[in-house]
Amino acid sequence: DFPRSLYSSMKRTVIVGSKVKGDMKPSLCKVVADKYAGQETVKLADHETEMRVNFSPTEYLVIPPDSIAEYASFIADRVVLVGAMREESDMHYTPQGKIAGTKLLAYGIETLLNDKEIIEVKGWWLWLSSFVVVLAMLIIFEYYGRAVGKIKNALARYLLTSVVMKGIIRFMWMAVAVWGAFMLFRYYNISINLAWALAAVTFTASADNLYAILKNYINGKSHD
């Protein structure tokens, strides 16, 4: 029950505006961001809209209420949010883990100010990216097999075509795919879910083994 309740309640978006008595009203995050920027950060649509929050790790300074005077120079010209940081009723699950509602608002405001909304790849683009990752893996193995086949030393050829070596190559390609997805997220705020693609790449090992077993079985039958 814990995982189900966790994912269903996980906060990933911030409300930009919602309808109140028939009129569109900006959210707190939008009001604060617009006020600080001195201009409209995101257009208010004629319907309730949400924006995916960029949860890139950020440490926000937390000032105790009785120490505000000590941080007067730091607070000047900055967005300051007042709220509880350890109140259990205002804690929320996010991709960053469990954080206070005040910190969640800070992430939302910063996303609006920096215009760094996370762009999630989905639909046909997600399927296409997964297909490309798997296809590239098959092409790599195709050319690798041709190159190894030209090696005259039988022992070297056997070692390079072993299950362990193929596993290492498969792991290296998965690492490259994950690194590429991370770079897209890091520099372009594009989020790609590679779960299906990596699962397919992993299962190609099982498919190869099954193919080898069937091939040996058929060859054995033909020789009989």
Side-chain angles (χ1 to χ4, degrees), residues 33-192:
D34 290 355
K35 182 70 174 178
Y36 184 80
Q39 61 183 8
E40 191 171 31
T41 53
V42 177
K43 293 290 184 182
L44 191 63
D46 56 358
H47 55 83
E48 182 169 315
T49 54
E50 293 184 344
M51 195 172 181
R52 188 169 288 271
V53 176
N54 189 327
F55 283 103
S56 297
T58 304
E59 286 298 325
Y60 299 103
L61 179 63
V62 179
I63 301 174
D66 56 355
S67 303
I68 294 178
E70 300 175 22
Y71 292 89
S73 59
F74 183 87
I75 294 174
D77 299 322
R78 294 177 182 270
V79 174
V80 179
L81 300 177
V82 180
M85 294 298 294
R86 295 183 178 84
E87 184 65 41
E88 186 62 31
S89 61
D90 192 33
M91 300 296 286
H92 305 271
Y93 287 105
T94 71
Q96 272 279 1
K98 196 175 181 180
I99 65 175
T102 307
K103 191 172 182 178
L104 178 60
L105 290 173
Y107 272 114
I109 293 169
E110 188 166 11
T111 299
L112 293 172
L113 284 173
N114 297 328
D115 191 22
K116 289 186 176 181
E117 179 185 9
I118 298 299
I119 303 170
E120 184 179 13
V121 176
K122 51 188 176 182
W124 284 106
W125 285 107
L126 178 59
W127 287 106
L128 180 61
S129 60
S130 300
F131 174 77
V132 169
V133 171
V134 177
L135 179 62
M137 179 77 263
L138 296 177
I139 292 174
I140 289 171
F141 271 121
E142 176 66 23
Y143 281 94
Y144 178 78
R146 292 180 185 180
V148 173
K150 296 178 181 179
I151 298 176
K152 294 181 179 180
N153 187 292
L155 178 60
R157 191 166 60 249
Y158 172 77
L159 292 175
L160 291 173
T161 56
S162 65
V163 174
V164 174
M165 182 56 66
K166 287 184 177 180
I168 292 174
I169 295 172
R170 189 174 287 106
F171 174 79
M172 290 176 63
W173 172 241
M174 292 170 67
V176 169
V178 171
W179 176 82
F182 175 76
M183 288 296 103
L184 285 174
F185 177 81
R186 174 66 177 82
Y187 293 104
Y188 301 101
N189 301 311
I190 298 175
S191 175
I192 301 179

